[in-house]
Amino acid sequence: MASRLRHHLLQLGLCLSLLLGQPCQADPMTLLTLEEPPLSYHNSQGELDGISVEVVRELQQRLGNTDPIQVYPWIRAYRIAQSRPDVVLFTATRSPEREPLFHWITLINRNAWVLYARRSDNLTISSLADARSVDSIGVLRGGAHQQLLSSLAFSNLIPMESYTQLLQNLAKGRINLAFYSASGFLATASTAGIDQQSIAPLFTLQTPESYIVLSKQGTDPATVQQWRDAAVAIKADGTFERIARRWVDRLQQEKGFNAHYQEGALNLWKAPD
């Protein structure tokens, strides 16, 4: 009871700060992401970069939050976000299995998921049924790609700790297929020293939506509402669109990758004609 009273007094202080034109000082949060270019990654200067990082920092500024963004392996970050209060996790693919696990704060991007193989292996994959017949498919451990194929009873999955490891194992012929996003493949291959022309996209599966999420375990509803309100605000005033369009230009200039802004998200594939 005393804890809840203290929280309400804090919220009153936040409201007064807003009335006085000062930024809110948000409750301490744990902010977790993974190396997943172009959403979140360390650039050539060693700085944390990416569209999701830029959006989260904008939300932090509006909320008066200065907690550091920490980069963890996905499976660890995912588990922390399910077991602790006040954890911001990004970017998480929305799926029926994950729906009840988090508070879904705002949509960031849509992506194309692709099955990749070495060109020299001369594989033909035109359906999921074809993918079942290979010996091994590399996926990110605990990621949405693994969850999807596991839900379809695939028994040939090889979980890996990072997307870099995933593509390196594909390039060395240690796995038959890698399941990854088109934009992520382009960015990761270039930084991992992998010849992109030696890898062929064989089958594009779907275009899922990815979000900033907030943990449910012990997180106060007032905190959830603050983050949602800030997210609504940056979309309503055009800030999110400006960030997304900057990334459309950056991806084209830096990676030669076509993306477009549409329906409140960065869509990581070429705009329809």
Side-chain angles (χ1 to χ4, degrees), residues 7 11 27 29 63 86-88 102-106 212-232:
H7 184 83
Q11 298 309 307
D27 290 342
M29 306 291 291
L63 291 166
D86 301 323
V87 178
V88 176
F102 305 105
H103 296 290
W104 299 85
I105 301 302
T106 195
I212 297 167
V213 303
L214 192 53
S215 59
K216 277 193 171 181
Q217 181 69 35
T219 302
D220 193 287
T223 299
V224 178
Q225 194 60 51
Q226 289 165 16
W227 281 79
R228 282 182 171 158
D229 288 347
V232 168

Side-chain angles (χ1 to χ4, degrees), residues 3-267:
S3 175
R4 184 162 295 276
L5 176 59
R6 284 194 299 270
H7 184 83
H8 287 314
L9 288 173
L10 175 60
Q11 298 309 307
L12 177 59
L14 291 174
C15 293
L16 290 174
S17 294
L18 285 173
L19 290 171
L20 293 172
Q22 301 296 322
C24 299
Q25 180 55 53
D27 290 342
M29 306 291 291
T30 301
L31 294 99
L32 302 177
T33 191
L34 74 158
E35 289 281 345
E36 187 182 19
L39 305 177
S40 52
Y41 65 100
H42 286 93
N43 60 28
S44 57
Q45 288 76 46
E47 300 166 339
L48 193 57
D49 204 350
I51 179 175
S52 297
V53 172
E54 193 169 341
V55 171
V56 168
R57 284 176 172 158
E58 178 66 30
L59 296 177
Q60 286 183 274
Q61 182 178 347
R62 298 197 181 202
L63 291 166
N65 180 279
T66 58
D67 296 311
I69 297 172
Q70 303 174 66
V71 180
Y72 280 12
W74 172 255
I75 189 65
R76 184 180 175 194
Y78 188 67
R79 287 171 178 166
I80 290 172
Q82 291 181 72
S83 60
R84 299 183 191 174
D86 301 323
V87 178
V88 176
L89 175 66
F90 64 97
T91 312
T93 300
R94 196 163 190 166
S95 67
E97 295 81 11
R98 291 178 173 180
E99 189 70 32
L101 302 179
F102 305 105
H103 296 290
W104 299 85
I105 301 302
T106 195
L107 170 65
I108 298 293
N109 73 286
R110 302 182 184 91
N111 219 330
W113 286 359
V114 182
L115 287 167
Y116 291 95
R118 296 195 305 172
R119 290 188 187 277
S120 59
D121 289 342
N122 296 315
L123 289 177
T124 299
I125 302 292
S126 56
S127 68
L128 282 181
D130 292 339
R132 289 181 188 277
S133 66
V134 303
D135 290 334
S136 55
I137 303 174
V139 291
L140 182 69
R141 186 180 302 278
H145 305 86
Q146 180 183 7
Q147 289 181 335
L148 174 63
L149 295 183
S150 294
S151 72
L152 297 173
F154 273 67
S155 59
N156 55 351
L157 305 182
I158 307 297
M160 300 189 184
E161 299 303 319
S162 71
Y163 287 117
T164 297
Q165 185 185 36
L166 176 68
L167 293 188
Q168 288 174 338
N169 277 275
L170 177 66
K172 293 174 181 177
R174 294 173 178 167
I175 53 176
N176 302 116
L177 297 172
F179 196 19
Y180 196 10
S181 67
S183 60
F185 166 79
L186 186 64
T188 303
S190 62
T191 58
I194 294 171
D195 178 11
Q196 297 172 22
Q197 298 306 311
S198 69
I199 307 297
L202 300 186
F203 181 67
T204 300
L205 187 59
Q206 61 173 229
T207 53
E209 296 185 334
S210 295
Y211 281 68
I212 297 167
V213 303
L214 192 53
S215 59
K216 277 193 171 181
Q217 181 69 35
T219 302
D220 193 287
T223 299
V224 178
Q225 194 60 51
Q226 289 165 16
W227 281 79
R228 282 182 171 158
D229 288 347
V232 168
I234 68 169
K235 290 197 170 179
D237 66 17
T239 300
F240 179 89
E241 182 175 349
R242 287 192 292 274
I243 293 172
R245 292 192 183 280
R246 276 203 304 272
W247 277 92
V248 169
D249 294 339
R250 278 191 63 177
L251 289 171
Q252 179 60 50
Q253 293 168 8
E254 297 175 10
K255 304 295 182 184
F257 185 84
N258 292 314
H260 67 286
Y261 172 83
Q262 188 177 16
E263 296 179 352
L266 178 65
N267 298 289

